[in-house]
Amino acid sequence: MIPIKIDNENIAFRDLHVSKIKADIENSLITKRDSYQDTDFEYETLNWIITYLDDILNAETKKMRVIIRAFNWFIKRKIFIVDLSITEDNTTVEQLKNICRENSIRGFSNKNKNELISLVNANNNLNGKTIDNLKFTTLIYRINLILKDIFIDFYENRWDKIEDYDRYTFVTKHELKTCPYCNMGYILISQKDEKGENGLRPEIDHFFPKTIYPYLAMSFYNLIPSCKVCNHTKSNKNTFEDKLLSPYEIDSTTFKLTYQPKNMNFLQIKKENYNFNSFDIKFKKIDEHSNKYFKLDKLYEQHKDVVLELLIKKTIYTKSYINELKKNFKFTDEEIYRLLFCNYQKSDNLHKRPLSKLIKDITQELGL
């Protein structure tokens, strides 16, 4: 909904982030890799992660998509090499559970097991394509258990122990005031006290969920300060497969709000013509994937009071009134805009107040 700008300041912040975390993560990966034989699947996969660790931690969202495809392709090549004892002739539904256990798929929920089992045909036999899919899924879970112990453990348990660079520092340096997904909720910060306690900070969303892509759990552009509602709404949905746009991938034109009159009288600019039932709030432009995730059209429809106030102000704040403000008080256009609409005019500042995108789009449409 609100773009996060990648500029020189943002890039410098990214470089700081990587410099604070890379060595620790790399050492953990090397130690874990060296606990395996160099011909093992785990050794080769961890070595791939180590080789591309700089890219993984630095990559913008578009490049992260490339990394995900490359990692999946690397794993798919391994299904022809790693023996998981899955064959078309002798594997039954019950045996799938044993295969999961035998291949270190510990911690599987029943849902995970059922997803694997669902790959089996209705007659409990496997065909070649299903076997490949099952092997791929099994290998992904197998390596993800290791990657979670490194990347997710760092995010949850080790990041906040870095001197002068914990998660509070991360969200503070972003300087975002509202959630970039919805622009409805504040994401403000109350710093910790002298004892390092009693602080409050917004949640940090993993745009590509860390449960599915644990190797991206500490990637700078995968970490999005957000409100609790949006973070929990996204949850562990597969944003890569769903092609959701990141706040780093949108601009000020990706979303556009408008109002839609319900009768002809609405076109006569009179205060008495305006009430909650006289118009609807609609999106003129919207990313459908974002709308599906966050229900933006339904949520913004509930903010008619804001648009109603703008419609009424249109009848009150005439051009002559605005010219008087300029003449008598020497206000600039931007200062007048802030005074009348309690909002920011420049797109780079829209993150500073809730519903700023809605207010800006409607005021532009009204010619205010």
Short mmCIF file of all heavy atoms in Angstrom, two decimals, residues 22-36 42-57 67 71 74 143 146-147 150-151 215:
data_model
loop_
_atom_site.label_atom_id
_atom_site.label_comp_id
_atom_site.label_asym_id
_atom_site.label_seq_id
_atom_site.Cartn_x
_atom_site.Cartn_y
_atom_site.Cartn_z
N LYS A 22 26.55 -11.13 9.27
CA LYS A 22 27.04 -12.12 8.31
C LYS A 22 28.05 -13.09 8.91
O LYS A 22 27.93 -14.32 8.74
CB LYS A 22 27.66 -11.43 7.10
CG LYS A 22 28.16 -12.43 6.06
CD LYS A 22 28.95 -11.78 4.94
CE LYS A 22 29.57 -12.84 4.04
NZ LYS A 22 30.47 -12.25 3.03
N ALA A 23 29.04 -12.60 9.63
CA ALA A 23 30.12 -13.46 10.13
C ALA A 23 29.58 -14.55 11.04
O ALA A 23 29.98 -15.72 10.93
CB ALA A 23 31.16 -12.61 10.85
N ASP A 24 28.67 -14.18 11.92
CA ASP A 24 28.11 -15.15 12.87
C ASP A 24 27.33 -16.23 12.12
O ASP A 24 27.47 -17.44 12.40
CB ASP A 24 27.19 -14.42 13.85
CG ASP A 24 26.86 -15.26 15.06
OD1 ASP A 24 27.09 -16.48 15.02
OD2 ASP A 24 26.38 -14.70 16.07
N ILE A 25 26.48 -15.82 11.18
CA ILE A 25 25.71 -16.80 10.41
C ILE A 25 26.61 -17.68 9.56
O ILE A 25 26.43 -18.91 9.49
CB ILE A 25 24.67 -16.07 9.52
CG1 ILE A 25 23.61 -15.38 10.38
CG2 ILE A 25 24.01 -17.04 8.54
CD1 ILE A 25 22.64 -14.52 9.61
N GLU A 26 27.60 -17.08 8.93
CA GLU A 26 28.51 -17.84 8.08
C GLU A 26 29.28 -18.88 8.89
O GLU A 26 29.44 -20.03 8.45
CB GLU A 26 29.49 -16.89 7.38
CG GLU A 26 30.35 -17.55 6.33
CD GLU A 26 31.12 -16.53 5.51
OE1 GLU A 26 31.62 -15.55 6.11
OE2 GLU A 26 31.23 -16.72 4.29
N ASN A 27 29.74 -18.51 10.08
CA ASN A 27 30.46 -19.46 10.93
C ASN A 27 29.57 -20.63 11.34
O ASN A 27 30.02 -21.79 11.37
CB ASN A 27 30.99 -18.76 12.18
CG ASN A 27 32.15 -17.82 11.88
OD1 ASN A 27 32.84 -18.00 10.87
ND2 ASN A 27 32.37 -16.83 12.72
N SER A 28 28.31 -20.34 11.62
CA SER A 28 27.37 -21.41 11.99
C SER A 28 27.15 -22.36 10.81
O SER A 28 27.08 -23.58 10.99
CB SER A 28 26.03 -20.81 12.43
OG SER A 28 26.19 -20.03 13.61
N LEU A 29 27.02 -21.79 9.61
CA LEU A 29 26.83 -22.61 8.42
C LEU A 29 28.04 -23.50 8.15
O LEU A 29 27.89 -24.69 7.83
CB LEU A 29 26.57 -21.71 7.21
CG LEU A 29 25.20 -21.05 7.14
CD1 LEU A 29 25.20 -19.92 6.10
CD2 LEU A 29 24.11 -22.07 6.78
N ILE A 30 29.24 -22.93 8.29
CA ILE A 30 30.47 -23.69 8.03
C ILE A 30 30.62 -24.82 9.04
O ILE A 30 30.95 -25.96 8.69
CB ILE A 30 31.69 -22.76 8.05
CG1 ILE A 30 31.64 -21.81 6.84
CG2 ILE A 30 32.99 -23.56 8.05
CD1 ILE A 30 32.69 -20.71 6.87
N THR A 31 30.36 -24.51 10.31
CA THR A 31 30.47 -25.54 11.35
C THR A 31 29.50 -26.68 11.09
O THR A 31 29.86 -27.86 11.20
CB THR A 31 30.19 -24.92 12.74
OG1 THR A 31 31.14 -23.89 13.00
CG2 THR A 31 30.27 -25.97 13.83
N LYS A 32 28.28 -26.34 10.72
CA LYS A 32 27.28 -27.38 10.45
C LYS A 32 27.64 -28.16 9.20
O LYS A 32 27.53 -29.40 9.16
CB LYS A 32 25.90 -26.73 10.30
CG LYS A 32 24.76 -27.73 10.30
CD LYS A 32 24.65 -28.42 11.65
CE LYS A 32 23.47 -29.37 11.70
NZ LYS A 32 23.37 -30.06 12.99
N ARG A 33 28.08 -27.46 8.17
CA ARG A 33 28.47 -28.15 6.92
C ARG A 33 29.57 -29.16 7.17
O ARG A 33 29.53 -30.29 6.67
CB ARG A 33 28.94 -27.12 5.89
CG ARG A 33 29.39 -27.72 4.56
CD ARG A 33 30.26 -26.76 3.78
NE ARG A 33 31.50 -26.47 4.49
CZ ARG A 33 32.41 -25.58 4.07
NH1 ARG A 33 32.20 -24.89 2.95
NH2 ARG A 33 33.52 -25.38 4.76
N ASP A 34 30.57 -28.76 7.94
CA ASP A 34 31.74 -29.62 8.16
C ASP A 34 31.45 -30.81 9.07
O ASP A 34 32.33 -31.66 9.27
CB ASP A 34 32.89 -28.78 8.72
CG ASP A 34 33.44 -27.78 7.70
OD1 ASP A 34 33.11 -27.93 6.51
OD2 ASP A 34 34.16 -26.85 8.09
N SER A 35 30.25 -30.86 9.61
CA SER A 35 29.87 -32.04 10.42
C SER A 35 29.38 -33.18 9.53
O SER A 35 29.11 -34.28 10.04
CB SER A 35 28.78 -31.66 11.43
OG SER A 35 27.56 -31.35 10.78
N TYR A 36 29.29 -32.93 8.22
CA TYR A 36 28.86 -33.95 7.26
C TYR A 36 30.02 -34.33 6.34
O TYR A 36 31.02 -33.61 6.23
CB TYR A 36 27.70 -33.43 6.41
CG TYR A 36 26.43 -33.15 7.19
CD1 TYR A 36 26.14 -31.86 7.63
CD2 TYR A 36 25.55 -34.17 7.49
CE1 TYR A 36 24.99 -31.61 8.35
CE2 TYR A 36 24.39 -33.92 8.21
CZ TYR A 36 24.12 -32.63 8.64
OH TYR A 36 22.98 -32.38 9.36
N GLU A 42 23.39 -32.86 2.70
CA GLU A 42 23.43 -31.71 3.62
C GLU A 42 24.68 -30.86 3.40
O GLU A 42 24.61 -29.63 3.41
CB GLU A 42 23.36 -32.20 5.07
CG GLU A 42 22.01 -32.76 5.49
CD GLU A 42 21.82 -34.22 5.10
OE1 GLU A 42 22.73 -34.79 4.45
OE2 GLU A 42 20.77 -34.78 5.44
N TYR A 43 25.82 -31.52 3.23
CA TYR A 43 27.08 -30.79 3.00
C TYR A 43 26.97 -29.94 1.73
O TYR A 43 27.30 -28.75 1.75
CB TYR A 43 28.24 -31.78 2.86
CG TYR A 43 29.59 -31.12 2.69
CD1 TYR A 43 30.45 -30.97 3.76
CD2 TYR A 43 30.00 -30.63 1.44
CE1 TYR A 43 31.70 -30.36 3.61
CE2 TYR A 43 31.24 -30.03 1.28
CZ TYR A 43 32.08 -29.89 2.36
OH TYR A 43 33.30 -29.27 2.20
N GLU A 44 26.52 -30.54 0.65
CA GLU A 44 26.45 -29.82 -0.62
C GLU A 44 25.45 -28.66 -0.57
O GLU A 44 25.70 -27.59 -1.13
CB GLU A 44 26.08 -30.80 -1.74
CG GLU A 44 27.17 -31.83 -2.02
CD GLU A 44 26.81 -32.78 -3.15
OE1 GLU A 44 25.64 -32.72 -3.61
OE2 GLU A 44 27.66 -33.58 -3.56
N THR A 45 24.33 -28.89 0.10
CA THR A 45 23.31 -27.83 0.18
C THR A 45 23.77 -26.68 1.05
O THR A 45 23.60 -25.51 0.70
CB THR A 45 21.99 -28.40 0.71
OG1 THR A 45 21.62 -29.54 -0.07
CG2 THR A 45 20.89 -27.36 0.62
N LEU A 46 24.36 -26.98 2.19
CA LEU A 46 24.89 -25.92 3.06
C LEU A 46 26.02 -25.17 2.36
O LEU A 46 26.15 -23.95 2.53
CB LEU A 46 25.38 -26.52 4.38
CG LEU A 46 24.27 -27.01 5.33
CD1 LEU A 46 24.86 -27.83 6.47
CD2 LEU A 46 23.48 -25.82 5.88
N ASN A 47 26.80 -25.87 1.59
CA ASN A 47 27.87 -25.21 0.84
C ASN A 47 27.29 -24.25 -0.20
O ASN A 47 27.84 -23.17 -0.44
CB ASN A 47 28.76 -26.25 0.15
CG ASN A 47 30.12 -25.69 -0.18
OD1 ASN A 47 30.81 -25.15 0.68
ND2 ASN A 47 30.52 -25.81 -1.44
N TRP A 48 26.15 -24.61 -0.81
CA TRP A 48 25.47 -23.72 -1.75
C TRP A 48 25.02 -22.44 -1.03
O TRP A 48 25.20 -21.33 -1.54
CB TRP A 48 24.26 -24.45 -2.34
CG TRP A 48 23.58 -23.74 -3.48
CD1 TRP A 48 23.79 -23.94 -4.81
CD2 TRP A 48 22.57 -22.71 -3.39
NE1 TRP A 48 22.98 -23.12 -5.56
CE2 TRP A 48 22.22 -22.35 -4.71
CE3 TRP A 48 21.95 -22.07 -2.34
CZ2 TRP A 48 21.26 -21.37 -5.00
CZ3 TRP A 48 20.99 -21.09 -2.61
CH2 TRP A 48 20.66 -20.76 -3.91
N ILE A 49 24.46 -22.59 0.16
CA ILE A 49 24.01 -21.44 0.94
C ILE A 49 25.19 -20.54 1.30
O ILE A 49 25.12 -19.30 1.20
CB ILE A 49 23.29 -21.90 2.23
CG1 ILE A 49 22.00 -22.65 1.90
CG2 ILE A 49 23.00 -20.70 3.14
CD1 ILE A 49 20.88 -21.79 1.36
N ILE A 50 26.29 -21.14 1.70
CA ILE A 50 27.49 -20.37 2.06
C ILE A 50 28.01 -19.60 0.85
O ILE A 50 28.37 -18.42 0.94
CB ILE A 50 28.59 -21.31 2.61
CG1 ILE A 50 28.15 -21.89 3.97
CG2 ILE A 50 29.92 -20.56 2.77
CD1 ILE A 50 28.99 -23.06 4.44
N THR A 51 28.02 -20.25 -0.30
CA THR A 51 28.53 -19.62 -1.53
C THR A 51 27.71 -18.37 -1.88
O THR A 51 28.27 -17.36 -2.32
CB THR A 51 28.47 -20.63 -2.70
OG1 THR A 51 29.27 -21.76 -2.38
CG2 THR A 51 28.97 -19.98 -3.99
N TYR A 52 26.41 -18.44 -1.68
CA TYR A 52 25.53 -17.34 -2.08
C TYR A 52 25.03 -16.52 -0.88
O TYR A 52 24.04 -15.79 -1.01
CB TYR A 52 24.34 -17.88 -2.87
CG TYR A 52 24.74 -18.49 -4.20
CD1 TYR A 52 24.80 -19.87 -4.35
CD2 TYR A 52 25.11 -17.68 -5.27
CE1 TYR A 52 25.19 -20.43 -5.56
CE2 TYR A 52 25.50 -18.24 -6.48
CZ TYR A 52 25.54 -19.61 -6.62
OH TYR A 52 25.93 -20.16 -7.81
N LEU A 53 25.71 -16.62 0.26
CA LEU A 53 25.24 -15.94 1.47
C LEU A 53 25.17 -14.43 1.30
O LEU A 53 24.21 -13.79 1.75
CB LEU A 53 26.13 -16.30 2.66
CG LEU A 53 25.67 -15.75 4.01
CD1 LEU A 53 24.27 -16.26 4.35
CD2 LEU A 53 26.67 -16.13 5.10
N ASP A 54 26.17 -13.84 0.64
CA ASP A 54 26.13 -12.38 0.40
C ASP A 54 24.87 -12.00 -0.36
O ASP A 54 24.19 -11.03 0.00
CB ASP A 54 27.37 -11.93 -0.39
CG ASP A 54 28.48 -11.45 0.53
OD1 ASP A 54 28.17 -10.94 1.61
OD2 ASP A 54 29.65 -11.63 0.17
N ASP A 55 24.58 -12.72 -1.42
CA ASP A 55 23.38 -12.44 -2.21
C ASP A 55 22.11 -12.63 -1.38
O ASP A 55 21.18 -11.84 -1.46
CB ASP A 55 23.32 -13.35 -3.45
CG ASP A 55 24.38 -12.99 -4.48
OD1 ASP A 55 24.78 -11.82 -4.53
OD2 ASP A 55 24.81 -13.89 -5.21
N ILE A 56 22.08 -13.68 -0.59
CA ILE A 56 20.91 -13.98 0.23
C ILE A 56 20.63 -12.85 1.21
O ILE A 56 19.47 -12.43 1.39
CB ILE A 56 21.11 -15.32 0.98
CG1 ILE A 56 21.02 -16.48 -0.02
CG2 ILE A 56 20.09 -15.48 2.10
CD1 ILE A 56 21.44 -17.82 0.55
N LEU A 57 21.64 -12.33 1.85
CA LEU A 57 21.45 -11.28 2.88
C LEU A 57 21.21 -9.91 2.27
O LEU A 57 20.53 -9.07 2.87
CB LEU A 57 22.67 -11.23 3.81
CG LEU A 57 22.95 -12.50 4.62
CD1 LEU A 57 24.21 -12.33 5.45
CD2 LEU A 57 21.76 -12.84 5.52
N ILE A 67 16.65 -16.14 -6.23
CA ILE A 67 17.36 -17.04 -5.32
C ILE A 67 16.47 -18.22 -4.93
O ILE A 67 16.94 -19.37 -4.88
CB ILE A 67 17.83 -16.27 -4.07
CG1 ILE A 67 18.96 -15.30 -4.44
CG2 ILE A 67 18.29 -17.22 -2.96
CD1 ILE A 67 19.34 -14.34 -3.34
N PHE A 71 17.48 -22.01 -5.64
CA PHE A 71 17.60 -22.99 -4.56
C PHE A 71 16.71 -24.20 -4.83
O PHE A 71 17.13 -25.35 -4.66
CB PHE A 71 17.22 -22.33 -3.22
CG PHE A 71 17.35 -23.25 -2.04
CD1 PHE A 71 18.59 -23.59 -1.53
CD2 PHE A 71 16.22 -23.79 -1.43
CE1 PHE A 71 18.72 -24.44 -0.44
CE2 PHE A 71 16.33 -24.64 -0.34
CZ PHE A 71 17.58 -24.96 0.16
N PHE A 74 18.28 -26.31 -7.44
CA PHE A 74 19.41 -27.06 -6.86
C PHE A 74 18.89 -28.31 -6.15
O PHE A 74 19.44 -29.41 -6.32
CB PHE A 74 20.18 -26.17 -5.88
CG PHE A 74 21.29 -26.88 -5.17
CD1 PHE A 74 22.55 -26.98 -5.74
CD2 PHE A 74 21.10 -27.45 -3.92
CE1 PHE A 74 23.59 -27.64 -5.09
CE2 PHE A 74 22.12 -28.11 -3.25
CZ PHE A 74 23.36 -28.21 -3.85
N ILE A 143 16.34 -30.32 4.69
CA ILE A 143 17.35 -29.26 4.80
C ILE A 143 16.82 -28.07 5.60
O ILE A 143 17.57 -27.38 6.29
CB ILE A 143 17.85 -28.82 3.40
CG1 ILE A 143 19.14 -27.98 3.53
CG2 ILE A 143 16.78 -28.03 2.65
CD1 ILE A 143 20.31 -28.72 4.13
N ILE A 146 17.60 -28.00 9.28
CA ILE A 146 18.96 -27.52 9.58
C ILE A 146 19.03 -26.01 9.45
O ILE A 146 19.58 -25.32 10.32
CB ILE A 146 19.98 -28.19 8.63
CG1 ILE A 146 19.98 -29.70 8.84
CG2 ILE A 146 21.37 -27.61 8.85
CD1 ILE A 146 20.79 -30.46 7.81
N LEU A 147 18.46 -25.48 8.36
CA LEU A 147 18.52 -24.04 8.12
C LEU A 147 17.74 -23.26 9.19
O LEU A 147 18.13 -22.15 9.57
CB LEU A 147 17.98 -23.72 6.73
CG LEU A 147 18.80 -24.28 5.57
CD1 LEU A 147 18.11 -23.99 4.24
CD2 LEU A 147 20.21 -23.70 5.57
N ILE A 150 19.74 -22.51 12.18
CA ILE A 150 20.77 -21.48 11.99
C ILE A 150 20.13 -20.11 11.80
O ILE A 150 20.35 -19.19 12.61
CB ILE A 150 21.66 -21.82 10.78
CG1 ILE A 150 22.42 -23.13 11.05
CG2 ILE A 150 22.65 -20.68 10.48
CD1 ILE A 150 23.20 -23.66 9.85
N PHE A 151 19.31 -19.94 10.78
CA PHE A 151 18.77 -18.62 10.44
C PHE A 151 17.65 -18.18 11.37
O PHE A 151 17.65 -17.04 11.86
CB PHE A 151 18.28 -18.61 8.99
CG PHE A 151 19.37 -18.61 7.97
CD1 PHE A 151 19.86 -19.80 7.44
CD2 PHE A 151 19.93 -17.41 7.53
CE1 PHE A 151 20.87 -19.80 6.50
CE2 PHE A 151 20.94 -17.40 6.58
CZ PHE A 151 21.42 -18.60 6.07
N TYR A 215 16.24 -19.72 5.01
CA TYR A 215 17.50 -19.07 4.65
C TYR A 215 17.32 -17.58 4.36
O TYR A 215 18.31 -16.84 4.24
CB TYR A 215 18.15 -19.78 3.45
CG TYR A 215 17.25 -19.97 2.25
CD1 TYR A 215 17.20 -19.03 1.23
CD2 TYR A 215 16.45 -21.11 2.13
CE1 TYR A 215 16.38 -19.20 0.13
CE2 TYR A 215 15.63 -21.29 1.03
CZ TYR A 215 15.60 -20.35 0.04
OH TYR A 215 14.77 -20.52 -1.05
#
